[in-house]
Amino acid sequence: MGLLTPDYIFKDVTRITPAFLRRHGIRGLVLDVDNTLTEHGSHELRPQVAAWLVLMRENGIHMMIASNNVEQRVAPFAQKIGLDYISFCCKPSPYGLMAARRKWGLPRSRMALVGDQIFTDAWAGALYGIRVLLVRPMARDPKPSVRLKRRLEKPFLLRYYKNGGKLL
């Protein structure tokens, strides 16, 4: 749809199903952390997100965390949930996406990025040429800079819906 317009928008990460991924040929998910898998700064998973991770593993979906946050934030969370990770990956740079692709040996057509922000996650996925599965943020953002970016995202979200996109 465009460089800053996601391919799909989901109410939350648990709405991304193995059936959806199979239909689209996706075998690997690069995952953001804050406001995607858990609330900003939290190390706790909601029970439904923990169950979703189990379901993805049971269906053979590769997963890896790629976060712009620092090692001290990302490492304990990733280890707790048993996922490989890349911290401080500087999205929208595709660095973290390239690392996941090398690890999995998958073509880009079989990968997707799951995140909550247009200017980091959606842009990184588009630059790297993989699908973007945007999720609505889990909670209000504590940082004023992120709240500002949320306002700036509105035209791109409107474009998604104007072009026939639906909230899944």
Side-chain angles (χ1 to χ4, degrees), residues 15-37:
R15 299 286 184 105
I16 301 169
T17 65
F20 174 89
L21 298 176
R22 273 192 300 276
R23 272 195 313 277
H24 295 279
I26 297 169
R27 301 296 308 149
L29 296 176
V30 180
L31 304 166
D32 184 45
V33 175
D34 290 318
N35 265 337
T36 299
L37 294 178

Side-chain angles (χ1 to χ4, degrees), residues 12-14 37 45-55 138:
D12 62 60
V13 74
T14 66
L37 294 178
L45 286 178
R46 293 178 179 174
Q48 60 269 35
V49 176
W52 178 82
L53 288 169
V54 169
L55 179 66
M138 296 178 89

Side-chain angles (χ1 to χ4, degrees), residues 71-89:
E71 177 90 6
Q72 295 87 339
R73 159 68 177 123
V74 180
F77 180 78
Q79 290 164 359
K80 183 176 183 176
I81 64 173
L83 290 180
D84 288 331
Y85 69 93
I86 296 172
S87 59
F88 201 66
C89 67

Side-chain angles (χ1 to χ4, degrees), residues 50-65:
W52 178 82
L53 288 169
V54 169
L55 179 66
M56 292 295 115
R57 285 184 178 108
E58 288 173 348
N59 281 272
I61 303 299
H62 301 287
M63 295 179 288
M64 177 183 238
I65 290 174

Side-chain angles (χ1 to χ4, degrees), residues 34 40 69 140-150:
D34 290 318
H40 188 85
N69 220 316
R140 187 171 193 270
D141 295 291
K143 294 181 178 179
S145 61
V146 178
R147 289 196 305 270
L148 172 62
K149 284 194 283 184
R150 296 280 183 217

